[in-house]
Amino acid sequence: ADLIEVAELPADAEVLGPVALPVTEAGRPRRTGDPPPGERWERALLRVRPGNGAALAAALKTAHAARLARREGAPVRIRIDPPDIG
């Protein structure tokens, strides 16, 4: 949520989420993309019209680099055009 707030997203960007993912209990099997046991993760889906993907990717990259430089917030993983949304 923090990354999305500071990113200068394209005007047509649609933000779905973020939503909290269920916490995985220790000893239970994990699906790909699930948080490790005990960790709390959020997930958001951002989408833009065809042709605006590069602008969205650039906005997220810039915001992510700024957060890393300031060492702010929790780690963030960005996936562009994932084969599954999980």
Side-chain angles (χ1 to χ4, degrees):
D2 297 336
L3 177 71
I4 294 169
E5 285 180 23
V6 299
E8 295 180 21
L9 301 175
D12 68 335
E14 183 178 359
V15 179
L16 304 172
V19 296
L21 297 179
V23 176
T24 305
E25 296 176 22
R28 305 232 24 206
R30 277 192 330 155
R31 291 182 349 175
T32 302
D34 282 350
E39 288 191 15
R40 297 186 185 280
W41 284 8
E42 292 180 339
R43 180 175 291 158
L45 175 67
L46 286 74
R47 55 188 194 175
V48 292
R49 296 185 186 281
N52 290 341
L56 176 61
L60 292 173
K61 182 179 179 180
T62 300
H64 190 242
R67 281 174 45 99
L68 288 173
R70 291 189 306 265
R71 298 182 182 187
E72 288 182 347
V76 174
R77 182 174 76 167
I78 298 172
R79 293 175 45 199
I80 306 289
D81 292 332
D84 64 72
I85 297 175

